Amino acid sequence: MKKFLILGLVALGFSSCSKETIDSAGRDVAQNVIRTGEWKNVVKTVNVAGKVVLRDTIAAQSKGTYLDFDKDGFAYVYDGKGGSKSFAYDMPTNKSMNFDKVSYMIKENIIQSTVKFTLQNSSETTTTTIEFKR
């Protein structure tokens, strides 16, 4: 009988959490994952009508560069020589990110995949993808 009472209280506790609270918690965890450590391989690709028209290496371990997401809302790319470049970012949800003034969907579950995530923005003929790897 006590077990049923405890299970009932636990179920009541979980059901009292709003979807907004759960989404916010998921976003906070995802933000913590991307902010932890350095992203050493970051590549942006733009495809138009199925053809690659741009491939830009934002950060590459071989070049000594890396990207770091900071709590101030900017992702900094450090060049290994004391210089840096920044991109504004924010995460409205754990499945979306605004990066450098463009809205992207996050393809992976960041909470489960801490070594890679991919941003994708698609229109009728153009798909922009940014892949981040540790």
Side-chain angles (χ1 to χ4, degrees):
M1 183 69 175
K2 286 183 182 180
K3 288 182 182 181
F4 288 117
L5 182 60
I6 292 171
L7 286 174
L9 289 173
V10 169
L12 180 64
F14 283 131
S15 67
S16 67
C17 291
S18 70
K19 179 165 176 23
E20 182 178 309
T21 301
I22 292 169
D23 289 346
S24 180
R27 185 190 74 228
D28 290 345
V29 170
Q31 284 179 332
N32 288 335
V33 168
I34 68 163
R35 290 176 181 158
T36 302
E38 301 168 348
W39 297 94
K40 298 190 184 226
N41 293 299
V42 181
V43 177
K44 178 179 180 178
T45 307
V46 178
N47 290 293
V48 176
K51 291 187 175 189
V52 176
V53 295
L54 173 73
R55 182 174 169 83
D56 181 23
T57 301
I58 297 170
Q61 187 171 8
S62 62
K63 294 180 181 179
T65 60
Y66 66 91
L67 184 140
D68 185 36
F69 287 96
D70 205 345
K71 289 182 180 182
D72 66 358
F74 288 92
Y76 296 95
V77 178
Y78 297 97
D79 66 7
K81 299 173 188 168
S84 67
K85 179 177 167 181
S86 64
F87 300 93
Y89 83 94
D90 69 275
M91 289 182 74
T93 71
N94 65 335
K95 293 299 288 174
S96 66
M97 178 184 281
N98 299 317
F99 187 83
D100 199 24
K101 301 178 184 172
V102 178
S103 296
Y104 294 91
M105 296 305 299
I106 300 170
K107 294 182 73 172
E108 297 84 4
N109 182 343
I110 293 177
I111 297 167
Q112 293 175 346
S113 174
T114 60
V115 296
K116 173 189 165 196
F117 77 97
T118 308
L119 301 179
Q120 187 172 48
N121 174 295
S122 297
S123 66
E124 287 183 25
T125 59
T126 305
T127 300
T128 303
T129 305
I130 305 175
E131 186 174 78
F132 297 81
K133 292 182 183 176
R134 294 207 195 263

